[in-house]
Amino acid sequence: MTLFDTALLDKTRKAAEMPSPPATKSAKKARKEAARAKARRGGLDERLLGPRPKHRKQHRTLFLSDIHLGTPGCKAELLLDFLRHNDAETIYLVGDIVDGWRIKRSWYWNAAHNAVVQEILRKSRKGSSVIYVPGNHDEALRDYTGLNFGGIDVIGEAIHETADGRRFLVLHGDQFDSVVKYAKWLAHLGDRAYTIALALNNWLHEVRRFFNLPYWSLSSYLKNRVKNAVEYISNYEHAVARSARERGVDGVICGHIHHAEIRDFDGVLYCNDGDWVESCTALCEDEGGQLSLITWQTFSWDTDLAHIEREAADEDEATLVPTAA
């Protein structure tokens, strides 16, 4: 006769040896909330962490350039808001996405910059074809053309065919900037001066937001008022369009000069998709092949988009943004 019931001991031992059950929904939710809390501490707006909008705008193609992640001038939160409201079959990243020049001098990276990268990677996972054409600020990636990183193809330039059969040369455009090409030291000096102008621009933007005033770019205003800058932009556009004509294509899509425009040059369509430090613009192609510019200088919650019904987010679709170190 035993002094205790061994059957009970056996049951306890078997229970201890059993594998632990998979994480519950409450545990996943707790992890999501922890990530969101880190993102909030990193300065990312709570409204950019919630469920994605149900009725997102569908495009055939999106072209984005001159985002300059890694700089204080980057309007990463506005871009994240744009990406959450716009989907495309193909997304071209037309250079200067990450600002290697600035990162070499000093490190700047916050939660919003992380979120933009994650949102682009997410679109790639969800089926969008993402093509990265490096520019001069991320020129290090030109050594890796022909490779694929995380579902993103890196190429030197591309020929994009629109839905209506037109062929467009896609490249960043620094090849046509004589300062960048022949006097790189002067380009770096100009970049520092431009960084100062953008810092003033950011300060002014925050002041205007405090008074509920719309976005307005001081640096863009000055650039469009200075005669030499206007002449530089015009010469650049003509040079790019002339090259496209020599290549036998119907048009060209580029960035580099931070000046969004669609303009016809004697039968060659010049398209510049702008930037995300001043104009906050993107170039889009619809299902019929028509190209147009989108300006996103106001958050969705400050427009009638805030009244669009939002879907309940899937557990694996939440924006998880760790705080930058």
Side-chain angles (χ1 to χ4, degrees), residues 63 160 162 164 166-171 237-238 240-245 248-254 261-273 283-285 289-293:
F63 302 85
H160 173 73
T162 59
D164 56 5
R166 292 178 295 168
R167 297 170 67 248
F168 282 79
L169 174 65
V170 182
L171 75 174
E237 293 172 344
H238 278 86
V240 174
R242 183 169 58 251
S243 177
R245 184 179 296 107
V249 294
D250 299 294
V252 60
I253 298 169
C254 63
E261 188 171 14
I262 297 178
R263 184 178 173 187
D264 184 87
F265 286 89
D266 297 326
V268 173
L269 191 63
Y270 166 88
C271 303
N272 193 303
D273 56 27
L283 182 72
C284 69
E285 178 198 356
Q290 294 302 306
L291 296 167
S292 59
L293 288 167

Side-chain angles (χ1 to χ4, degrees), residues 37-311:
K38 289 183 179 180
R40 285 193 293 272
R41 290 196 296 271
L44 191 58
D45 195 293
E46 171 69 25
R47 287 166 288 195
L48 293 172
L49 300 172
R52 287 176 176 79
K54 183 176 182 180
H55 303 289
R56 296 186 290 272
K57 178 69 174 177
Q58 300 294 324
H59 307 275
R60 184 173 186 266
T61 317
L62 281 174
F63 302 85
L64 301 163
S65 77
D66 298 274
I67 297 172
H68 290 277
L69 292 168
T71 69
C74 171
K75 303 298 184 295
E77 289 197 6
L78 280 168
L79 176 56
L80 179 59
D81 193 40
F82 169 82
L83 291 172
R84 286 165 60 90
H85 285 84
N86 292 269
D87 287 329
E89 298 172 22
T90 304
I91 300 174
Y92 284 91
L93 304 175
V94 195
D96 287 3
I97 306 304
V98 177
D99 196 320
W101 290 10
R102 172 58 190 257
I103 290 176
K104 284 181 181 178
R105 298 199 304 264
S106 61
W107 181 261
Y108 181 90
W109 198 276
N110 62 24
H113 294 220
N114 273 350
V116 167
V117 173
Q118 288 198 12
E119 190 67 22
I120 292 172
L121 291 173
R122 178 185 177 277
K123 288 184 182 298
S124 176
R125 291 195 305 270
K126 294 296 181 179
S128 294
S129 174
V130 181
I131 300 170
Y132 196 141
V133 180
N136 54 304
H137 281 257
D138 47 16
E139 60 190 349
L141 287 175
R142 287 174 171 166
D143 294 333
Y144 301 95
T145 55
L147 300 180
N148 181 285
F149 297 96
I152 298 176
D153 293 310
V154 181
I155 59 176
E157 61 180 44
I159 297 294
H160 173 73
E161 185 170 336
T162 59
D164 56 5
R166 292 178 295 168
R167 297 170 67 248
F168 282 79
L169 174 65
V170 182
L171 75 174
H172 180 63
D174 58 293
Q175 302 91 329
F176 305 96
D177 188 334
S178 57
V179 174
V180 171
K181 193 172 183 179
Y182 300 111
K184 199 166 185 178
W185 65 270
L186 187 58
H188 280 273
L189 183 62
D191 179 62
R192 289 175 181 266
Y194 186 58
T195 299
I196 295 173
L198 289 178
L200 293 173
N201 200 60
N202 286 345
W203 174 81
L204 181 62
H205 175 54
E206 293 301 322
V207 171
R208 290 177 67 85
R209 283 192 68 187
F210 179 78
F211 290 103
N212 293 321
L213 295 173
Y215 175 83
W216 181 77
S217 174
L218 172 64
S219 52
S220 180
Y221 173 82
L222 294 174
K223 185 166 64 177
N224 291 328
R225 293 299 183 276
V226 177
K227 182 180 179 180
N228 288 344
V230 174
E231 183 179 355
Y232 163 78
I233 291 172
S234 177
N235 291 340
Y236 174 86
E237 293 172 344
H238 278 86
V240 174
R242 183 169 58 251
S243 177
R245 184 179 296 107
E246 293 171 354
R247 298 279 293 270
V249 294
D250 299 294
V252 60
I253 298 169
C254 63
H256 184 59
I257 60 172
H258 297 197
H259 186 76
E261 188 171 14
I262 297 178
R263 184 178 173 187
D264 184 87
F265 286 89
D266 297 326
V268 173
L269 191 63
Y270 166 88
C271 303
N272 193 303
D273 56 27
D275 64 278
W276 288 88
V277 294
E278 291 184 55
S279 58
C280 299
T281 55
L283 182 72
C284 69
E285 178 198 356
D286 64 19
E287 294 300 328
Q290 294 302 306
L291 296 167
S292 59
L293 288 167
I294 302 175
T295 301
W296 201 274
Q297 297 178 347
T298 306
F299 287 103
S300 57
W301 54 82
D302 292 328
T303 67
D304 55 1
L305 287 175
H307 303 294
I308 295 177
E309 179 186 0
R310 294 177 175 271
E311 65 180 343

